Amino acid sequence: MDQLAEFAENRPRLLGLAYRMLGEASEAEDVLQDAYLRWARTGPVEVPAAWLTKVVTNLCLSRLGSARVRRETYVGPWLPEPVFTAGGQFGPLEQVEQRESLSLGVLVLLERLTPPERAAFVLREAFGYRHREVADVLDMDEAHARQLYRRAREHVGDPRRRFTARPGHREEIVRRFLAAALEGDVAGLEGLLAEDVVAWSDGGGKVSAARRPVEGRPAVARLFIGLAAHPRAARMDVSIRTVNGEPAIVVHEAGDLYMIVCLEANDGRVTGLRSVLNPDKLAFAAAQQV
């Protein structure tokens, strides 16, 4: 197999790795471009998949420091770039761990970690690497890799406990939420929300969006009822698509991607909503639809 074909075979897995590391699909694409250039300049390697994984991981580690600085000055809540995942572009999502590690909720939690902790967590949770393999990727001993993963789990917790709704149940919740909002059914919408529900909106200062989280059942219900009742909403097309491995609300205006809303649910109630409106954050997802 030639180098181009070898890289193409590994590309979905590498893109999934880089995206989970960075939370930005456009940056992940840049990392893969850099990795390919290094790959093209390198002679034959014994285990191409391992070599590429190590290069991509290290390129991401070098970018995470500057990314954190940018996010500290970001206008309003910072959220990851949402991506459409039904086509397998970001690697397999058959296992629960693979889906959960790609969700916006978990990607936000990963912002709490140091870059090495994030790498250890992603390699273990999303790709099932053993501690010895993580250590090889990060050029450290196995004990250190175990410690990094343990600290990461302490900071992030267990995603499977945070986001417990089954995939089919999640879609039902999303559909009921959307129907209640569009119908102006305040009581029905509040009935779907957890008492301590929180809604985050990422406009990045580019479009109108709440710059602080909206907290509590009544406030969140009013927010989405108001959005659905706005005169501008009559010109919008609303659908449910698979985003970051989960059913999400996707809104288009005049054919352009306007907003993506990802919901988190626990025990049948919506506990969190993350709305991405910043057009820069939606550019990658918009290009996926072309």
Side-chain angles (χ1 to χ4, degrees), residues 177-188:
F177 178 93
L178 180 58
L182 293 176
E183 294 168 8
D185 181 2
V186 177

Side-chain angles (χ1 to χ4, degrees), residues 12 48 59-60 64 68 102 146 161 169 186 224 249 271 279:
L59 286 170
C60 290
L64 278 172
R68 183 155 295 178
L102 197 66
R146 286 179 179 275
R161 292 182 179 177
H169 191 201
V186 177
F224 281 92
I249 298 170
T271 57

Side-chain angles (χ1 to χ4, degrees), residues 102-117:
L102 197 66
S103 70
L104 288 197
V106 171
L107 291 175
V108 169
L109 292 175
L110 295 186
E111 291 294 304
R112 302 176 180 180
L113 307 181
T114 67
E117 288 171 350

Side-chain angles (χ1 to χ4, degrees), residues 12-204:
R13 181 180 60 83
L14 296 173
L15 184 60
L17 169 60
Y19 175 66
R20 288 172 172 89
M21 285 289 294
L22 300 171
E24 298 180 1
S26 51
E27 281 281 305
E29 287 276 16
D30 290 345
V31 163
L32 261 62
Q33 179 67 25
D34 290 347
Y36 179 75
L37 293 175
R38 294 190 184 195
W39 172 246
R41 294 195 299 265
T42 302
V45 297
E46 186 174 347
V47 186
W51 188 92
L52 288 166
T53 297
K54 186 168 188 173
V55 168
V56 167
T57 300
N58 285 316
L59 286 170
C60 290
L61 289 172
S62 67
R63 288 175 179 247
L64 278 172
S66 59
R68 183 155 295 178
V69 171
R70 292 196 309 272
R71 291 165 194 176
E72 287 174 353
T73 59
Y74 194 77
V75 178
W78 179 91
L79 295 177
E81 292 181 5
V83 294
F84 294 112
T85 51
Q89 187 175 357
F90 291 82
L93 295 174
E94 289 87 3
Q95 299 178 14
V96 173
E97 293 85 355
Q98 293 170 333
R99 293 193 299 272
E100 297 292 8
S101 65
L102 197 66
S103 70
L104 288 197
V106 171
L107 291 175
V108 169
L109 292 175
L110 295 186
E111 291 294 304
R112 302 176 180 180
L113 307 181
T114 67
E117 288 171 350
R118 187 163 185 161
F121 184 91
V122 168
L123 290 168
R124 282 280 295 170
E125 291 285 315
F127 299 98
Y129 274 49
R130 297 187 295 272
H131 290 298
R132 176 69 264 166
E133 294 170 317
V134 174
D136 290 342
V137 171
L138 298 178
D139 286 325
M140 61 180 58
D141 60 49
E142 185 174 345
H144 191 188
R146 286 179 179 275
Q147 185 181 44
L148 284 176
Y149 177 68
R150 185 172 61 251
R151 287 205 302 259
R153 285 298 296 266
E154 288 173 355
H155 286 106
V156 172
D158 187 349
R160 287 176 294 283
R161 292 182 179 177
R162 288 176 178 270
F163 313 107
T164 58
R166 301 183 306 277
H169 191 201
R170 288 183 185 182
E171 183 168 354
E172 178 187 348
I173 292 172
V174 173
R175 291 188 182 281
R176 289 170 59 196
F177 178 93
L178 180 58
L182 293 176
E183 294 168 8
D185 181 2
V186 177
L189 191 59
E190 288 191 353
L192 290 170
L193 301 177
E195 186 176 352
D196 57 352
V197 63
V198 182
W200 297 266
S201 300
D202 182 343

